[in-house]
Structures are given as structure tokens and as C-alpha cells.
Amino acid sequence: MDVTLAGLAAGLKARRFSSVELTREALARAEASQGALNTLISITAESALAAAAVADQRLARGEGGPLTGVPMIHKDIFCTAGVLTTCASRMLSNFVAPYDATVVAKLRAAGMVMVGKANMDEFAMGSSNETSYYGPVMNPWDLARVPGGSSGGSAAAVAARLAPLATATDTGGSIRQPAALCGVTGIKPTYGRVSRYGMIAFASSLDQAGVITITAEDAALALTAMAGFDPKDSTSVDAPVPDYAATLAAPLAGLKVGIVKEFFGEGLASEVEGPVREVLAVLTKLGAQVREVSLPSLPLSVPTYYVVAPAECSSNLARFDGVRYGYRCKDPKDLIDLYKRSRAEGFGAEVKRRIMTGTYVLSAGYYDAYYLKAQKVRALITADFRRAFGEVDLLLGPTSPTVAFGIGDKTSDPITMYLNDIYTIGANLAGLPALSMPCGFAGGLPVGVQLIGPHFGEARLLNAAHRYQQETDWHLKAPAGFKAGFAP
Ligand code: GLN
């Protein structure tokens, strides 16, 4: 009952508990788990209890919607007025945003109660949450392993049942990969579906906000509240937002599911492949038709991404110069010294690596060879997807090539780390919506399956995921030592 956001909302309506009680419980869990998991950068107890009291008044008047009074966590990449927003970087370790991101404002207006801000990879660059200035996040399924990244704090917090919902962002897989490694559900919407206003930019043509939850139903409820046109984000799309919860139960009869051939080759752990293939049996039982499809340019997605994303990041991160806000070095000799040392001291190693790569591929002599070439390959990858969606409704594959790996295992080799994103990056390059959900375990660690849809196909993705979750209970498993539900 109280394992999901929808269940909690029903409990609040029926007065089985109040929002203040739920919020106190979430705050207590947050405090108690910090030492072991380090999922949060800030815990916002005072403002949370105040928001919960307001939510209780709304509920008492019979007002409020399906999210009102439910505790949640924002990834620390979203600006929150009056609350520290660090992006897990020393560069922003003293930055208090003067305004709310649109996503923050929308979920606040829906009555959600923010209890804290989630740890993440520095500026969302990473696949293991090990690049955070605030230290790594531990995977609740095995504390010696990573939770994935960059939204590792969001995924681990939901998996450990601190709150039923955390926001996250996905530039190359940062919602789906940590969701897979932590055994929770995560959706990255179509590029432009959710406003990026107030979401600190990494790679602007790829970044998109979404959510991590226990169930697809909860993701549908949250996405309905988050999505939509925003005049403050010129890349947000002016198209009506469907009620994603309304179509969750639609039958899957006749749904055409494409298995992406390129996702099942070398590099995929057999312990991951097994559970992912078993999903097909469940979908077939529900009436789906499965066939293989090929996306021939997809193997080029990792090198393409690691040209495009650093190029955009080198431009976006130029604004952090130690002058107007953020970290500033001590006793600069002159302006140049201030710029140089503030950036040298404020950014971590991975961020610097990306800025340097990006600056290089955009430089006059190399632009055509790297950046322009990558943009052309990006167009080929997008065309592959377009062709595939002429034949099938959804694509299916693994989310990550392996289960959660050990903390420290891949930090000395960036290329090995980058290869974690091999199955997730394609959807970002093409701007497509994609979802990851739990589909089994390998050696006691969660395995995730990925569904990719055509542009604005979120409703179908959530529908297929919901129907799958009605047939299975992988998504309801909680790691040992953590409660299964959320109620006090
Ligand atoms: N892991 C990828 C990277 O390091 C993706 C990160 C993301 O989606 N924010 O860039």
C-alpha cells in the first residue's frame, strides 16, 4: 500500500497519516542513512516540515492532487530558491540560487514536499557518482558498489526508501543507468518535453529532466505534473501534456516491440542478458509481438557522444569564472590569476578532462575533423532510430552492460567508465524518450531493462512498463536493511 507514491497519496487522503508525519519519517530516514549511503548533499528539514503543514491544510480542505503532501528529493542540479545548489562541485559549494527551476516550481505547486537535495556526479559528468566533491554514494544493495551515475544519489535514495520520488537528469544515461543499478524505475522524457530552466546545463542539446520512482505509475503521475511548455526554455516544446496515468492500463495487444540487435553483442554480461530476454516472454504473454531490429550506426554512439557532450560542456562551463558567484580562489594577483586559479581549484579532474576535450574538438584546426564529424554521425544514429520506429512501436534492450561495479574499480580508466553508457547514449543523441525498470537480479544485484520510444512516446513507454509491473514484482524488492514501504 505505502510502497508507492500513489499508495501514499491514498493514505494521505484517507488520513491514515499526515504529510507532517510522512515528512518526519522521510527526514529521519535521510539523517539515519547518510553515514552509510551519502545520498544527499542537503537535508532541508525546516522548509520540508513547513511545506508539509501547508499540504496537510490543503488536504484537510479536500484540495490537492495526487502528489500533494508526498515527500521527495531533488537532484542537486536543479536550482532551489534559498537552498544550496551545488551540482556536487566545489565550484558551486557556496551557491544559493535566487530562483526555482521550473521543475522545482511545478512539483512544489503540486504540493510535493522537498526533504533534501541529492548527491550526483560533479556537473552530472560520470557513470558512478564517484566524481562528486561531496564523496561517492554507496549502492544500498551492496555498500561496496557504486549506485551508477550521474543521478546516483537520486536512485540510491529511492532504492533505500528515503522518498518515493527523486528528480534526475539524463544527458547520456544518468537517469536510466543508476535506476538500473539500484533496482528502481527511471524515465528520461523526449528532449524538450520538460523545461530545462534552472537545471544547471551540462550539454544543452542532450540534457533532459525526468524522475526516478518505484513504479511506472508513480513516474506517470510525476511526469504529468512536470512536463509542458515553458516560455523560459526556448527548447521546450509547445505541445499539450497528456495525462500519462490515464493510459497506463491500456492493453498491449498488437504492440510491436523491437529487440535491438546491436544491444546484445560483445560486452553484455550474460547475467544481464538473461533477465532482459525474459522480459520478452512477459510482454509476449500480454499480447506484444517481438521482432529483431538493427540500428547499424549505434555502435558509434559512445565516441559521438564523447565529442558532442564535452564540446557543449566546455562552452556551458565557461560561465564559472569566480567573478559573479561560486567558488573564488584566495588572494588573486590579478584578473587572469583569479580566473585560472578559481577554475583550477573549483573543478574536479573529470570536469577538467571534459572541458579540455571539448575545447580541443571545437578549436579551429580540429572542428571539422571531430565536432562536425560527430554531428554527422549523430544524424545517422537519429535516422536509424527513425527507420526502426517505422517498423516497431518500442525498442527493448539492456540499460547497462553489467550490474553495479565496485567503488574505485573504474576510476583510473575513463574509457572503461564511458563504456557504461553504451546502451543509453543513443536515445539522448536522437532526443528520444527512454525508460529503465527492474527485471531481475544477478548475484543479488538488480538488473534493468530499457525501453526506448519514438519522440513524445512517453505514454506508450509508461503503459508497457506499468503492464509489465502488474505481472512481476522485481520493482517492489527492497535492499536488505531498508524498509519496503514509506509510511511512518
Ligand atoms: N555517464 C555519462 C557521462 O558521463 C552521462 C551523464 C549524464 O547523463 N549526465 O557523461
Side-chain angles (χ1 to χ4, degrees), residues 102-124:
T102 295
V103 162
V104 172
K106 284 192 162 193
L107 291 182
R108 187 198 302 282
M112 293 212 87
V113 175
M114 176 182 82
V115 294
K117 307 235 12 222
N119 202 345
M120 53 182 278
D121 278 301
E122 185 179 6
F123 283 103

Side-chain angles (χ1 to χ4, degrees), residues 75 121 123-128 149-151 169-177 202 207 305-306 309 350 354 417-418 420-421 424-425 428:
K75 185 177 181 179
D121 278 301
F123 283 103
M125 297 172 198
S127 305
S128 65
S150 66
S151 311
T169 60
D170 194 312
T171 304
S174 282
I175 294 177
R176 293 159 284 156
Q177 185 256 14
F202 161 12
D207 297 343
Y305 173 87
Y306 280 99
E350 183 59 27
R354 307 268 180 123
M417 188 69 91
Y418 297 168
N420 274 295
D421 308 324
T424 48
I425 278 174
N428 299 80

Side-chain angles (χ1 to χ4, degrees), residues 35 44 72 135 187 218 253 268 305 307 311 314 391 404 421 428 469:
T44 52
M72 59 83 58
I187 182 164
D218 289 355
L268 175 62
Y305 173 87
V307 171
S314 72
E391 294 172 33
D421 308 324
N428 299 80
Q469 292 183 339

